[in-house]
Amino acid sequence: MANFITIDGVEGAGKSTQAARLADALRRDGHEVVLTREPGGTELGRALRRMLLEDDSPGPTAETELLLYLADRAEHVRRLIQPALARGAIVIADRFSDSTIAYQSYGRGIPLDTVRRLDTFARGGVSPDLTFFLDLPPEVGLERARTVGPADRLEREALEFHRKVRDGFLAIAAAEPGRVVLLDARLEIADLARELADHARARLAAAA
């Protein structure tokens, strides 16, 4: 079954909006849908999210940041994602392992094999069946993000960091075309939502 769907991409691409719209569309089709996010899909994750993104204190080192994100993922997978998938629900996650590779390896410079190895342990064998990458130039995404509210810790990073992160997402998309659907996040919200819903329905139908 293609029951685990992730939505990923650069800052300001509209991931949360599109995740919510996709969840609504699939619920209208009669599916049980669990909508979640990283970091912050569990009680522990919400505390980690505040530490990682919302705290105004100096940020953690790159290595500490990686381990905190992976602690969130380990808890998220075992407390929420695995139980939901086991009962046949569709899980839609706003960010998952691809963000860790893009941000912590391509962005922060931690060796890719190290990030992949630790992430494999954290997610305990759970992998997305379908991933949407919402792509747009980082400068456009950051400008969008500023209109939503105060910048979080990642949004305050230099533009060059965000360009490296985008490069990471594009590299993953090129390497895994069977899983990853790359979409232009500059589309109108409703048009982009239809693209996601059409792809998800087609994948679910094929899996059934």
Side-chain angles (χ1 to χ4, degrees), residues 135-151:
D135 181 53
L136 78 173
E139 54 269 30
V140 176
L142 292 171
E143 185 60 33
R144 280 188 183 181
R146 292 188 191 104
T147 67
V148 175

Side-chain angles (χ1 to χ4, degrees), residues 61-123:
T61 67
E63 294 80 6
T64 302
E65 182 185 58
L66 168 64
L67 294 172
L68 289 173
Y69 277 114
L70 293 178
D72 169 76
R73 180 157 306 128
E75 184 79 357
H76 193 205
V77 165
R78 289 156 182 82
R79 296 284 189 188
L80 189 148
I81 295 174
Q82 282 181 324
L85 294 174
R87 66 175 184 265
I90 294 171
V91 176
I92 299 174
D94 175 354
R95 293 201 185 281
F96 196 64
S97 294
D98 297 310
S99 272
T100 305
I101 292 167
Y103 281 83
Q104 273 63 60
S105 184
Y106 283 81
R108 300 293 190 211
I110 298 175
L112 182 58
D113 61 340
T114 299
V115 175
R116 287 192 183 278
R117 186 172 65 253
L118 293 172
D119 174 65
T120 297
F121 171 74
R123 58 185 170 81

Side-chain angles (χ1 to χ4, degrees), residues 107-183:
R108 300 293 190 211
I110 298 175
L112 182 58
D113 61 340
T114 299
V115 175
R116 287 192 183 278
R117 186 172 65 253
L118 293 172
D119 174 65
T120 297
F121 171 74
R123 58 185 170 81
V126 172
S127 298
D129 301 294
L130 173 63
T131 295
F132 294 105
F133 282 174
L134 308 186
D135 181 53
L136 78 173
E139 54 269 30
V140 176
L142 292 171
E143 185 60 33
R144 280 188 183 181
R146 292 188 191 104
T147 67
V148 175
D152 65 28
R153 183 173 278 141
L154 285 179
E155 290 166 354
R156 294 194 296 268
E157 291 285 348
L159 180 59
E160 183 58 29
F161 170 81
H162 292 284
R163 287 175 173 156
K164 291 177 182 178
V165 169
R166 185 194 190 192
D167 289 343
F169 283 125
L170 294 176
I172 296 167
E176 299 188 58
R179 172 177 69 90
V180 178
V181 177
L182 187 65
L183 296 171

